[in-house]
Amino acid sequence: MRHGTATVITRILPDALVDLETSLTEAARLRTALFSGVPGLHFARWAIIDLAPPEEATKDYRLLFAADFTVPGEDKDARELDRRLFHGFVAWLWNLRAHEARAATVFDDIYRACRDYPARGLAEPDAVEAYLLNHRVEATTRHVDFAYRFESPEDLRESVDVLREVNQHLDARVRLLAETPWRGGRGELPHLHRELRDVALSVSSTVFDAGWSKRLESARRAAAVATLTYPFHRYVSALPKVGVLRFGLWLRRSKEPPRVWGPCSPELGVPRSPPPPTDAMVQNPMVHVARVTGGPLAKKLAEVALPSVDKRLSRYVVGLNLIQTIHCARWLLHSEADGTKHLIFLSNYDDSWEAYIDSFVDHTDVRAFLELIWSHTDGFPAKTRGFFPKRKWWGGWELRLSVEPFKAWLRGHEVPTRVWYSAALDGGPYQRHSLLLLHNALRLRELLSRERIDRPLRDWAARRAFAAFLSRGACNPGRALLRFPALVSHSLSALSAALRERWREPRRMPRVFEPTGLHPHLAPEQHAVA
């Protein structure tokens, strides 16, 4: 199972903006019909972005489509993953068109407002698929929460259903547990473990499928390999280049006074991306567009720093460091024909907008990365000494990024999401898939998939986790990165799997000379057993 992030950016025709906005409003109402039948689709959105410089009066509007999905297989090629998504998407729309569904007509209406869309639309599905593939933009850096790396939307829904059914079962027999207390001993938990396994099987017969466990182990092996290779990418490849580029930018820094940010700044009046209509605290979308300034050095800095961060983000198995509210996020470095580059940031998160941004600001590593990437974009606020200045060890003043100007800048460059689809909220029976809930369900499913937990040493960690779930009603999500024993174990298993795969490859047999005129007594078809 592989996770993909597809992005399509198309140019909007000059006189079609009003019709496009009308079609997107209707598509937001028909989002379930548009996307619910696309295989493996977790999230999808449409937004209208403006890539014209702020000083120009004319606008350069583009239609942005973004999707997060999973597809079976181990193919790592991003273009092939996007092609499989577009094929499933267009096939679903073509089926809707065959049944004369309004959703298929809305899709055609949306992209007929864009340049070079096939004239016959979905009547030529291959042409539509090629159109989407030709306008795709590959993500430079992405963060995919661990739960989405190996689970399809159906797997996530099944895990959450198991968690809720187990909680209801335990709530129903809470009196019995109070009358017969347990202390989490090795001899007291196995019977309750088997009982909850039966409860899980009553929800779905495939909850303990061996393929799910294999996909889980494969995702952990990939995180272990990324953890081992990340220091090389960071300290050998990325950091020296980033240091040289930052020094060059420091030498060429502008001598102009920093921009003054006040309470009447225009960024404070720009509307933010509206929350989903069904739930304002779970799975909210965000689209942010900023033009890269600072000349060729700033563009090269973004090109060097973002791939290293992509390797770093693939190490995490729980959230993003201490931030456990981001489902999926990506950074796109979009280039224009004239050399202009825009940094496009897409995210979907839990909790409120203010809490989401505060989690960035409060985390030192994440804040430093955002300052490095966004510091050379239009209107990014300059660092100040703050209300309580501090001196560094060598006597200079310590400069910090002020929170409120940073939030005002984010609001000023944020783009409203016109259509937002979530497989949990819109793709079936309504479920509130917060990230903490997903990790809780994932851990419980992993515990219940074990056939036994009574072995003294081998099941010691599982018994502790199971006892913690019974005590608090929630599993401990664990560390953001794999511990050293697990890191070594998964790395060795990945190496051994690669060696076994290499050993199983068929060896090339030596060619045997067969003179002409000599034929075997039996034809190949005659060797088959009837």
Side-chain angles (χ1 to χ4, degrees):
M1 188 73 70
R2 285 288 175 184
H3 183 278
T5 52
T7 309
V8 177
I9 299 179
T10 52
R11 191 183 297 272
I12 301 174
L13 297 174
D15 300 329
L17 182 61
V18 177
D19 295 337
L20 176 60
E21 291 177 341
T22 303
S23 301
L24 290 176
T25 302
E26 187 176 3
R29 182 174 56 85
L30 299 174
R31 61 186 182 276
T32 300
L34 273 168
F35 299 111
S36 60
V38 182
L41 183 63
H42 290 285
F43 305 104
R45 76 188 83 190
W46 269 306
I48 298 177
I49 60 177
D50 180 18
L51 299 185
E55 61 271 9
E56 293 187 5
T58 58
K59 302 295 183 180
D60 186 9
Y61 289 114
R62 310 291 178 91
L63 178 63
L64 182 144
F65 171 76
D68 293 276
F69 60 96
T70 51
V71 293
E74 296 297 327
D75 196 341
K76 298 181 180 181
D77 183 48
R79 182 179 178 86
E80 177 62 21
L81 295 177
D82 291 354
R83 188 198 65 78
R84 294 175 65 179
L85 171 73
F86 297 151
H87 180 76
F89 189 19
V90 173
W92 168 250
L93 293 173
W94 188 83
N95 183 49
L96 293 178
R97 183 179 181 274
H99 291 81
E100 299 181 353
R102 175 58 184 162
T105 307
V106 169
F107 179 85
D108 274 338
D109 294 342
I110 289 174
Y111 279 100
R112 282 199 174 98
C114 300
R115 184 178 298 179
D116 299 330
Y117 185 68
R120 297 186 60 192
L122 289 173
E124 297 180 354
D126 294 339
V128 174
E129 183 179 339
Y131 174 80
L132 296 176
L133 195 61
N134 291 334
H135 289 81
R136 64 178 289 273
V137 180
E138 190 167 345
T140 310
T141 300
R142 62 177 190 158
H143 165 70
V144 181
D145 188 77
F146 186 75
Y148 293 96
R149 298 180 196 175
F150 69 98
E151 287 196 306
S152 65
E154 294 76 17
D155 289 332
L156 293 177
R157 187 175 295 276
E158 187 178 62
S159 300
V160 174
D161 287 339
V162 168
L163 173 64
R164 291 179 175 173
E165 189 66 26
V166 167
N167 282 330
Q168 292 178 4
H169 178 78
L170 292 176
D171 291 340
R173 58 167 300 181
V174 64
R175 294 183 180 179
L176 178 60
L177 290 177
E179 295 173 359
T180 58
W182 49 270
R183 300 179 181 179
R186 180 165 60 92
E188 301 173 0
L189 290 181
H191 69 283
L192 187 56
H193 180 262
R194 290 191 295 269
E195 180 180 334
L196 296 184
R197 277 177 57 89
D198 294 338
V199 172
L201 287 173
S202 67
V203 176
S204 173
S205 59
T206 61
V207 66
F208 302 139
D209 183 22
W212 183 88
S213 300
K214 292 181 180 179
R215 294 195 300 269
L216 173 62
E217 291 301 316
S218 176
R220 284 180 174 161
R221 284 198 301 268
V225 172
T227 305
L228 292 176
T229 57
Y230 170 69
F232 172 80
H233 287 275
R234 175 178 172 83
Y235 297 105
V236 178
S237 178
L239 273 187
K241 298 178 183 178
V242 170
V244 172
L245 293 172
R246 294 184 68 178
F247 181 71
L249 289 170
W250 181 81
L251 293 177
R252 298 184 180 184
R253 67 189 185 279
S254 175
K255 301 298 182 180
E256 298 178 359
R259 182 177 178 181
V260 179
W261 294 81
C264 297
S265 298
E267 285 79 3
L268 295 176
V270 178
R272 293 183 301 186
S273 178
T278 55
D279 196 338
M281 300 299 290
V282 174
Q283 299 183 7
N284 301 310
M286 180 179 181
V287 180
H288 184 275
V289 182
R291 185 168 65 103
V292 179
T293 59
L297 289 180
K299 299 174 185 177
K300 188 64 177 179
L301 177 63
E303 293 175 356
V304 171
L306 285 173
S308 174
V309 176
D310 181 74
K311 179 67 68 173
R312 172 175 181 168
L313 296 178
S314 60
R315 304 176 304 157
Y316 296 112
V317 294
V318 176
L320 193 161
N321 271 1
L322 300 177
I323 304 175
Q324 297 184 12
T325 58
I326 306 174
H327 293 259
C328 299
R330 75 189 82 169
W331 285 266
L332 308 172
L333 198 58
H334 181 61
S335 302
E336 293 293 310
D338 58 355
T340 305
K341 289 185 180 291
H342 289 82
L343 192 58
I344 304 175
F345 174 64
L346 308 174
S347 175
N348 51 295
Y349 58 92
D350 296 331
D351 213 337
S352 64
W353 188 90
E354 295 286 342
Y356 175 56
I357 303 304
D358 287 339
S359 63
F360 283 161
V361 176
D362 296 339
H363 199 284
T364 305
D365 292 343
V366 178
R367 183 176 69 247
F369 161 69
L370 296 181
E371 292 178 5
L372 173 65
I373 296 301
W374 278 334
S375 59
H376 301 285
T377 56
D378 270 331
F380 192 80
K383 295 182 179 180
T384 62
R385 300 178 186 178
F387 291 103
F388 304 99
K390 295 181 179 179
R391 289 190 179 273
K392 295 184 178 180
W393 62 271
W394 48 270
W397 293 103
E398 181 179 347
L399 301 180
R400 296 184 298 272
L401 179 65
S402 301
V403 177
E404 292 307 320
F406 176 61
K407 290 182 178 180
W409 179 81
L410 284 175
R411 293 190 185 103
H413 291 267
E414 190 172 351
V415 179
T417 301
R418 305 303 181 99
V419 180
W420 170 243
Y421 168 82
S422 167
L425 304 178
D426 307 310
Y430 180 79
Q431 288 188 351
R432 300 180 77 251
H433 283 182
S434 68
L435 201 60
L436 292 177
L437 178 67
L438 285 181
H439 280 281
N440 197 17
L442 173 64
R443 182 58 175 152
L444 178 63
R445 182 172 181 175
E446 183 183 6
L447 290 174
L448 294 181
S449 63
R450 305 172 69 98
E451 295 184 358
R452 49 187 300 189
I453 59 170
D454 57 348
R455 290 168 290 192
L457 295 179
R458 190 173 181 179
D459 300 329
W460 176 76
R463 283 196 303 275
R464 286 191 59 187
F466 189 58
F469 171 77
L470 296 175
S471 301
R472 302 194 306 265
C475 295
N476 184 11
R479 295 167 58 92
L481 298 175
L482 291 172
R483 295 178 182 269
F484 182 75
L487 182 64
V488 173
S489 174
H490 289 297
S491 302
L492 292 178
S493 62
L495 178 61
S496 62
L499 293 176
R500 285 197 304 269
E501 190 69 22
R502 176 67 177 172
W503 179 259
R504 290 173 182 173
E505 290 183 0
R507 298 183 180 181
R508 180 175 297 179
M509 301 298 295
R511 300 181 63 180
V512 179
F513 174 74
E514 183 175 333
T516 58
L518 297 180
H519 303 283
H521 295 286
L522 294 177
E525 293 80 9
Q526 294 175 321
H527 286 283
V529 180

